[in-house]
Amino acid sequence: MKRLSYLLFLLLPGASVFAQEQAPATTSASSGNIMMDIVIVVFIIAALVLLGVSVVLLNTFKTLSKELLNPTRIEVKEPERRMEYAEWAALKAGKPGIWSKLLGLKPIEEEKDIMLEHEFDGIAELDNPTPAWFMWLFYASIFFAGAYLLNYHVFNWGKLQDEEYVAEMEAAKVAKETYLAKAANLIDENSVKENLDGSVVSAGKAIFNTNCVACHGDKGQGIVGPNLTDDFWIHGGKINNVFKTIKYGVPEKGMISWEKTLTPKQISEVSNYIISLKGTNPPGAKEPQGQKES
């Protein structure tokens, strides 16, 4: 191995010197010729491969020489003795099955050791031990009961059923209010419903007094706009028609669109307020316009 290392040490400098000697000649002959560089690289790679093969062969020869001088003994395993069926069956029966292990049962051959003294009608009682899995389950239930007691009744970390019910009802109330707030703004002229509840009418009246009295009067009697208290309607007197008229307006007649000013919920409220004005007949009401609707 030392000789091989020495040979490698001599070979590599020789290859580098050869490459250095060839480089100037190649450069002087032709600066663009790279064939000589490729040959040098191939020569170096071949030398390294040859060196690796030499190392492998050397190790192989060393291993063979050691084996020839000191052969390694080959251990011969004795063939296993073939069991008779009766012996195999007895060995198999002596091993408890999975079911017996889970239940902690003793083999039939050992029942005489756990048989109690008293018997009845020829039937003896066995003192089988409690299965290990059952005992672990029993201990785990005791631990769980202690943890439950500390969590819910001592430290009050967890919520009892009545407390959970109250918390869930409060969460449901918040979720309902959130949903209704969003659903109120999903109303359009097709889904709006007539609702003459006091709170809706009052909210609609406030919106009407803020935005609509200039054209329709403080009681809906009509000034520039039509009378909203009689049975005559230009664009329809149903809740859907009133909602649509307020939402999109009638630009050619001076009625502006309130779609960008009021929310759908507010348009629904003011529409229901206008519906509630029907038949109030305020003094100084404007003459009827449009078609009569029942």
Side-chain angles (χ1 to χ4, degrees), residues 192-205 228 233 237-240 242 267-280:
V192 64
K193 302 296 182 182
E194 184 174 322
N195 185 0
L196 300 180
D197 291 345
S199 58
V200 176
V201 173
S202 298
K205 182 178 180 180
L228 302 177
W233 296 88
K238 303 297 183 182
I239 186 66
N240 308 84
V242 176
I267 297 177
S268 173
E269 291 171 344
V270 72
S271 299
N272 279 285
Y273 172 71
I274 293 173
I275 294 297
S276 70
L277 294 177
K278 183 178 179 181
T280 55

Side-chain angles (χ1 to χ4, degrees), residues 23 32 79 143 162 181 184 222 253:
F143 175 78
D162 54 345
K253 295 186 178 180

